């Protein structure tokens, strides 16, 4: 109906990653919201294992750029909502916001307080700001198709 959105589809073991750069002061604008719509969940995926580490929908916030501290919000095939998984000790954590096929094909709006999440997960204040955010749709570990639509990204100083 005229709405434009971004689609990420991995059906050839090629992870689809995009990064949007902009100045982001999380002290002033800690709230981040978006919509995502999983179209295809990677079969048998679970982010807690290297052999099944795939997510249809993934939104990254990297404090300090590409080598900084990472929080990745995911729509997991199998892990329960609320799971926080330490993928790289002290450097990268995954937070499951949606899980399973129940809402596949339907837009879901997600809002997070990235600054509060950072402090909770890393147990410290950030020393650097994120230079934007990234998206990743991948099915390369399970060698199965993964697909997600992304839309309506917003940052704000007040909760949505």
């Amino acid at each position: 109906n005229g709405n434009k959105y971004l689609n990420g589809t991995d059906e050839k073991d090629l992870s689809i990653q995009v990064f949007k750069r902009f100045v982001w002061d999380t002290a002033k604008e800690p709230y981040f919201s978006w919509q995502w719509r999983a179209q295809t969940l990677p079969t048998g995926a679970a982010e807690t294992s290297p052999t099944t580490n795939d997510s249809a929908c993934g939104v990254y916030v990297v404090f300090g750029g590409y080598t900084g501290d990472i929080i990745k919000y995911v729509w997991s095939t199998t892990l329960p909502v609320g799971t926080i998984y330490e993928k790289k000790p002290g450097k990268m954590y995954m937070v499951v916001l949606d899980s399973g096929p129940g809402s596949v094909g339907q837009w879901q709006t997600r809002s997070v307080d990235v600054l509060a999440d950072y402090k909770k997960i890393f147990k410290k204040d950030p020393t650097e700001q994120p230079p934007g955010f990234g998206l990743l749709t991948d099915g390369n570990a399970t060698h199965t198709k993964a697909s997600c639509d992304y839309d309506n990204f917003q940052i704000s100083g007040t909760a949505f």
Side-chain angles (χ1 to χ4, degrees):
N1 296 330
N3 182 41
K4 292 183 171 56
Y5 57 88
L6 182 64
N7 170 264
T9 298
D10 177 5
E11 55 190 349
K12 297 180 181 175
D13 285 353
L14 299 172
S15 299
I16 306 300
Q17 190 169 18
V18 177
F19 194 82
K20 173 64 176 164
R21 288 183 130 333
F22 60 94
V23 176
W24 186 357
D25 183 348
T26 57
K28 293 179 183 173
E29 297 179 306
Y31 300 100
F32 182 32
S33 75
W34 66 89
Q35 289 181 296
W36 59 17
R37 174 175 59 186
Q39 296 288 10
T40 305
L41 300 177
T43 304
E47 291 80 0
T48 53
S49 169
T51 60
T52 60
N53 178 29
D54 290 328
S55 307
C57 306
V59 175
Y60 283 90
V61 179
V62 184
F63 285 78
Y66 298 111
T67 60
D69 296 336
I70 302 168
I71 300 173
K72 181 182 178 189
Y73 300 98
V74 300
W75 186 321
S76 180
T77 300
T78 57
L79 299 180
V81 170
T83 298
I84 297 174
Y85 171 65
E86 185 178 31
K87 182 174 180 183
K88 292 181 184 173
K91 289 301 288 176
M92 181 180 183
Y93 292 82
M94 294 189 187
V95 178
V96 178
L97 298 182
D98 284 291
S99 182
S103 297
V104 166
Q106 300 170 30
W107 285 107
Q108 303 298 312
T109 300
R110 296 295 163 247
S111 298
V112 296
D113 180 335
V114 296
L115 186 56
D117 286 350
Y118 184 95
K119 291 176 180 182
K120 174 183 170 187
I121 291 168
F122 289 95
K123 297 176 180 41
K124 63 181 182 178
D125 289 330
T127 57
E128 298 184 76
Q129 294 297 321
F133 66 91
L135 308 176
L136 176 64
T137 292
D138 69 322
N140 61 331
T142 58
H143 309 290
T144 63
K145 183 178 180 179
S147 182
C148 185
D149 300 327
Y150 302 90
D151 202 1
N152 297 322
F153 297 96
Q154 296 180 29
I155 60 170
S156 176
T158 57
F160 294 97

